[in-house]
Amino acid sequence: MIPPLPPRGSGPLIQSQQGDLLRLAAGLVISAIIVAALYYGQAVLIPLAIAFLISFALGPVVHWLVRRGLSRILAVALTMVLVLTVLGAVGTLVGIQMRSLSAQLPTYQTTIRSKIEDLGARMKGPGILEGAMQTVDTVQKEVAEVVGGGEENEVPPQRVRVIPEPVSPFETALLWLSPLLAPLATAGIVLVFVVLILLDQGDLRDRLLRLLGGNMFRSTDALEEASRRISKYLLMQLVVNVTYAIPMALGLWLIGVPGFILWGTLAAVMRFIPYVGPILSAVFPLSLAFAVDPGWNMVLMTAGLILVLELVSNNVIEPLLYGTSTGLSVLSLIAAATFWTAIWGPVGLVLSTPLTVCLLVVGRYIPQLSILETLLGSSPALSRHTRIYQRLIANDPDDAIDIAEDAIEETSVTQFYNDEGMEVLCQASIDYINNARAEHRLRIANGMDELLEAIREDHPADLPEGAAPRVACIPGKWEIDRQACEMLVHSLQLDGVPAVSRAYGSTTSRYVAGLELEGVEIVVLSFFSSEPDAAARNLTRRLRARWPRLKIVLGLWGVPLEELDRHGAEMLGADAVVASINEAARRILLLLRNAEDKTVGIVQDPQAVEARNETLKKVPLDDPDLREDLNDLAIRAADVFDVKTAAIIAIGPRQELLIGANRELPGLGIDPQAKVMVLPQDASMASLLLAEARSLIVPDIERDPLLAENAVLRAWSARALAAAPMRQADGVVLGALCLIHDEVRDLEDKERELLETLAAEVAERLTGEAAPPTENPAEPSLSATVGQQVPE
């Protein structure tokens, strides 16, 4: 019998599945080898791990001393002497406290005995299980009598005693000292390793880079981030523990608990052990308070002190020192603590958090190990819109509404529609034919309706009753086209624009006649199709024929940004083409203002204007050296960000001035006084930053209605713009450092921060004063309910 042939195209699929299984098996084998090596090599690896972590904590101190002119050997020696001195002083104080406490312990026996007797007396009396226990005892006695009744005449067994051989004094000394030799030897090895690592830190870094191989930039970033995060984590942990231990020692001293320095030091040390450390450190002072005071006041006051300190440390001190950044989820941290404790014992529990941070950083920078970041990190594993989409598929709209409300609280309703809502609809349009079943499509449609209805109820628009609509949004074909219309209509209503949504239907003359667009100034046609040209052109033509003065805006939500250029507004018979809610809202507002002949100016603070003008008067813009320095800074910015144009623009009293650039720029006039190029009054760029005084990032200028009409940007063939404000010491914005590129380009958060740093250098060169620090961007939301606070 001839076996049937496999279906066409199944060969590559089977090979791919086999390759995935082989990779999985290889990964499991490698993981098992690594775990075995960690377990059996702990005698060597534990001292090395401790030494590296200590060197991470002491490295910044050594680096600071080296930068002050000391040699590295002398800096390491001073650091180690300082550390050993502090440890010796603390150890001496603890030793004195322990000796004093050991001398007083016998005096507390009477108090302990009396309290125990008092507790025993209170607990005496018939209990719930006392009758059952008596019954069990009776049965046991009867069974023993029956079983042992025939053995009364037997001779009891003789007791044999083995007398050990006498032990020599030398063997006795070794027996007593052997438990101390191993920790002392480990401490000595760690000390030697720390000194060697601090002395040869640069060579070790080079060897690690060689081992990592591959992309040198990525490997360097991974090492820098791991070193920075672990150093800061250990330093902040030390500060948190000390700020906990000092109030605890003072509180115990005021309460009257003996050995307060000992218990404060013990608390500082034990809090390095996650979870169990604070509990263990609290047992000793509570036990001593129980033994010292005949009553219960000292125990209650000690317990209250520990409780208050824990609450203050966990909710005030740690967030203040660590910041709001999070790195590890609680679940991953507990799993890591369990793993390292099973491998390395109590030392592994102490080292679990720093080691897990290292694994998190490795997973972030090495693509092959990205699963580590997914498993260990507290950052969202799924984007917010993906989570909302999944909840709708799972028929859980309530959870989707909760996620949406969290996003709206962070930004706004319009921003949520633009960033998350439209992405959900876009994903639904992609999966409509390929993956989704009929049940899934129904769940998404119903769930989105519930979501949008809940948002409208929680965030109603404040419009006058009976206001005639000025904007109408018409869906092109699908259900998701209608939902996109509802998002845009709600956004416009929140901006004070009366807008309505019309029902969708077949593009016929009868359907167009029934749209009731009398009095409407702008119509938005919503399409999620990847090829909307034919339908959009047909509907636009029919609308033009019936309402010639109507402004038509096409919302092509499903077309990728890089392909929007071939869907031109003129080719489709529309006045504008938009690709997002934000762009649509800005375009509609601009069209309405143009229809009313209204211009929108930037309202400036008169004091800020006066301060800026006075500052620019003192700047010798005609100085060749200054102009050369500014041009050099612009050239550096263009090279660093790999853009076509970098321009330094100052905001003058009447016009914006181009005071530095990396190349000759066309389309500008000349200021006869300052002898610098000026921008036309209707083509300002730096003034756009005055409203919020923060960076402006426009990945695609064609998607920004205002900048798309900027004559200077058109003359410079600009497609992307990034601008950072140049601020003087008092915070007044002097101008902007602008990056302009001829292709669509976006900046990451770190690149934006770097641009702001370069803008601060330009401002410092202009004024001679250091600019104020810029605010950090908002931290990303977390998927984990609680995250372990780890410095970024």
Side-chain angles (χ1 to χ4, degrees), residues 555-723:
L556 305 184
W557 322 117
V559 178
L561 291 178
E562 59 272 12
E563 299 181 11
L564 274 176
D565 291 341
R566 66 183 182 88
H567 301 273
E570 296 180 0
M571 181 181 65
L572 300 178
D575 295 282
V577 173
V578 296
S580 66
I581 293 291
N582 281 343
E583 182 187 357
R586 291 196 301 266
R587 175 68 67 179
I588 291 171
L589 291 175
L590 183 62
L591 290 175
L592 293 176
R593 288 166 183 164
N594 292 338
E596 298 173 356
D597 294 329
K598 290 184 178 180
T599 58
V600 180
I602 299 175
V603 180
Q604 302 187 40
D605 183 4
Q607 295 181 353
V609 173
E610 183 179 356
R612 177 168 53 249
N613 294 338
E614 289 296 327
T615 300
L616 292 179
K617 285 181 181 179
K618 299 176 183 178
V619 177
L621 295 178
D622 55 350
D623 184 3
D625 294 336
L626 175 61
R627 296 294 301 277
E628 184 177 357
D629 291 344
L630 295 176
N631 289 334
D632 289 342
L633 289 172
I635 293 172
R636 179 186 302 174
D639 291 342
V640 167
F641 290 94
D642 191 23
V643 295
K644 183 178 180 180
T645 304
I648 300 174
I649 300 175
I651 304 175
R654 295 177 300 276
Q655 290 176 296
E656 293 185 355
L657 311 176
L658 180 67
I659 59 177
N662 67 317
R663 64 185 183 91
E664 293 291 335
L665 296 174
L668 301 178
I670 300 293
D671 187 343
Q673 296 180 354
K675 297 181 180 180
V676 295
M677 293 185 176
V678 297
L679 276 67
Q681 293 183 352
D682 58 347
S684 60
M685 284 185 284
S687 300
L688 298 176
L689 278 67
L690 293 177
E692 298 181 358
R694 62 180 183 180
S695 298
L696 174 67
I697 310 296
V698 184
D700 188 357
I701 290 176
E702 294 297 328
R703 309 272 62 82
D704 190 290
L706 291 176
L707 294 178
E709 305 299 329
N710 191 297
V712 172
L713 291 177
R714 287 187 173 275
W716 293 353
S717 302
R719 189 61 188 268
L721 170 67

Side-chain angles (χ1 to χ4, degrees), residues 398-728:
D398 293 335
D399 198 7
I401 293 172
D402 292 338
I403 299 173
E405 288 296 338
D406 292 339
I408 292 173
E409 289 180 3
E410 294 179 7
T411 55
S412 63
V413 173
T414 301
Q415 200 63 37
F416 167 76
Y417 287 153
N418 185 81
D419 296 340
E420 277 83 23
M422 296 298 284
E423 288 294 333
V424 171
L425 296 182
C426 184
Q427 188 63 47
S429 68
I430 294 173
D431 294 340
Y432 185 85
I433 298 176
N434 299 329
N435 302 316
R437 301 197 307 267
E439 181 183 7
H440 294 151
R441 299 181 193 127
L442 181 61
R443 289 179 178 181
I444 293 173
N446 293 338
M448 280 300 298
D449 285 340
E450 291 186 35
L451 174 66
L452 297 179
E453 181 64 26
I455 294 176
R456 284 193 296 267
E457 291 179 357
D458 295 338
H459 306 275
D462 187 13
L463 290 175
E465 292 187 9
R470 304 181 63 185
V471 179
C473 192
I474 301 174
K477 179 182 179 182
W478 293 3
E479 182 77 7
I480 56 177
D481 294 336
R482 176 188 61 80
Q483 292 166 342
C485 285
E486 293 183 7
M487 293 185 191
L488 178 58
V489 166
H490 190 203
S491 298
L492 292 173
Q493 291 174 348
L494 293 175
D495 288 335
V497 178
V500 294
S501 177
R502 299 302 188 197
Y504 65 91
S506 300
T507 308
T508 61
S509 300
R510 182 177 180 181
Y511 166 72
V512 173
L515 289 176
E516 299 179 359
L517 299 180
E518 288 76 9
V520 173
E521 303 174 41
I522 300 173
V523 167
V524 181
L525 305 182
S526 173
F527 289 93
F528 257 105
S529 173
S530 59
E531 295 294 336
D533 291 10
R537 190 183 296 110
N538 185 22
L539 184 54
T540 301
R541 179 175 54 81
R542 292 181 180 274
L543 291 174
R544 291 283 189 203
R546 188 168 184 86
W547 292 282
R549 296 185 179 181
L550 200 64
K551 297 290 184 181
I552 299 178
V553 177
L554 289 180
L556 305 184
W557 322 117
V559 178
L561 291 178
E562 59 272 12
E563 299 181 11
L564 274 176
D565 291 341
R566 66 183 182 88
H567 301 273
E570 296 180 0
M571 181 181 65
L572 300 178
D575 295 282
V577 173
V578 296
S580 66
I581 293 291
N582 281 343
E583 182 187 357
R586 291 196 301 266
R587 175 68 67 179
I588 291 171
L589 291 175
L590 183 62
L591 290 175
L592 293 176
R593 288 166 183 164
N594 292 338
E596 298 173 356
D597 294 329
K598 290 184 178 180
T599 58
V600 180
I602 299 175
V603 180
Q604 302 187 40
D605 183 4
Q607 295 181 353
V609 173
E610 183 179 356
R612 177 168 53 249
N613 294 338
E614 289 296 327
T615 300
L616 292 179
K617 285 181 181 179
K618 299 176 183 178
V619 177
L621 295 178
D622 55 350
D623 184 3
D625 294 336
L626 175 61
R627 296 294 301 277
E628 184 177 357
D629 291 344
L630 295 176
N631 289 334
D632 289 342
L633 289 172
I635 293 172
R636 179 186 302 174
D639 291 342
V640 167
F641 290 94
D642 191 23
V643 295
K644 183 178 180 180
T645 304
I648 300 174
I649 300 175
I651 304 175
R654 295 177 300 276
Q655 290 176 296
E656 293 185 355
L657 311 176
L658 180 67
I659 59 177
N662 67 317
R663 64 185 183 91
E664 293 291 335
L665 296 174
L668 301 178
I670 300 293
D671 187 343
Q673 296 180 354
K675 297 181 180 180
V676 295
M677 293 185 176
V678 297
L679 276 67
Q681 293 183 352
D682 58 347
S684 60
M685 284 185 284
S687 300
L688 298 176
L689 278 67
L690 293 177
E692 298 181 358
R694 62 180 183 180
S695 298
L696 174 67
I697 310 296
V698 184
D700 188 357
I701 290 176
E702 294 297 328
R703 309 272 62 82
D704 190 290
L706 291 176
L707 294 178
E709 305 299 329
N710 191 297
V712 172
L713 291 177
R714 287 187 173 275
W716 293 353
S717 302
R719 189 61 188 268
L721 170 67
M726 302 183 305
R727 282 187 286 260
Q728 60 185 19

Side-chain angles (χ1 to χ4, degrees), residues 245-533:
I246 293 176
M248 183 174 183
L250 293 176
L252 294 176
W253 173 66
L254 292 174
I255 294 172
V257 179
F260 57 93
I261 296 180
L262 173 61
W263 309 131
T265 306
L266 182 65
V269 174
M270 296 298 290
R271 284 177 65 84
F272 280 102
I273 304 176
Y275 310 117
V276 299
I279 298 175
L280 294 178
S281 65
V283 169
F284 296 99
L286 286 173
S287 301
L288 194 58
F290 175 82
V292 171
D293 187 12
W296 295 94
N297 291 335
M298 185 176 291
V299 177
L300 295 176
M301 293 174 66
T302 303
L305 172 66
I306 294 174
L307 179 61
V308 170
L309 289 177
E310 286 291 340
L311 292 175
V312 173
S313 179
N314 294 335
N315 298 293
V316 179
I317 303 298
E318 290 184 7
L320 182 64
L321 293 178
Y322 285 129
T324 57
S325 60
T326 56
L328 304 173
S329 66
V330 167
L331 182 61
S332 65
L333 197 62
I334 294 176
T338 305
F339 171 79
W340 289 110
T341 304
I343 295 294
W344 286 355
V347 178
L349 180 61
V350 177
L351 302 178
S352 62
T353 299
L355 292 175
T356 309
V357 171
C358 291
L359 294 177
L360 177 67
V361 175
V362 169
R364 178 175 298 176
Y365 285 95
I366 299 180
Q368 295 81 357
L369 300 177
S370 59
I371 188 175
L372 293 175
E373 184 180 13
T374 303
L375 293 176
L376 302 177
S378 61
S379 57
L382 298 176
S383 61
R384 184 175 277 153
H385 68 267
T386 305
R387 284 188 285 151
I388 294 175
Y389 184 58
Q390 189 276 329
R391 302 313 190 265
L392 297 180
I393 294 175
N395 200 21
D396 189 7
D398 293 335
D399 198 7
I401 293 172
D402 292 338
I403 299 173
E405 288 296 338
D406 292 339
I408 292 173
E409 289 180 3
E410 294 179 7
T411 55
S412 63
V413 173
T414 301
Q415 200 63 37
F416 167 76
Y417 287 153
N418 185 81
D419 296 340
E420 277 83 23
M422 296 298 284
E423 288 294 333
V424 171
L425 296 182
C426 184
Q427 188 63 47
S429 68
I430 294 173
D431 294 340
Y432 185 85
I433 298 176
N434 299 329
N435 302 316
R437 301 197 307 267
E439 181 183 7
H440 294 151
R441 299 181 193 127
L442 181 61
R443 289 179 178 181
I444 293 173
N446 293 338
M448 280 300 298
D449 285 340
E450 291 186 35
L451 174 66
L452 297 179
E453 181 64 26
I455 294 176
R456 284 193 296 267
E457 291 179 357
D458 295 338
H459 306 275
D462 187 13
L463 290 175
E465 292 187 9
R470 304 181 63 185
V471 179
C473 192
I474 301 174
K477 179 182 179 182
W478 293 3
E479 182 77 7
I480 56 177
D481 294 336
R482 176 188 61 80
Q483 292 166 342
C485 285
E486 293 183 7
M487 293 185 191
L488 178 58
V489 166
H490 190 203
S491 298
L492 292 173
Q493 291 174 348
L494 293 175
D495 288 335
V497 178
V500 294
S501 177
R502 299 302 188 197
Y504 65 91
S506 300
T507 308
T508 61
S509 300
R510 182 177 180 181
Y511 166 72
V512 173
L515 289 176
E516 299 179 359
L517 299 180
E518 288 76 9
V520 173
E521 303 174 41
I522 300 173
V523 167
V524 181
L525 305 182
S526 173
F527 289 93
F528 257 105
S529 173
S530 59
E531 295 294 336
D533 291 10

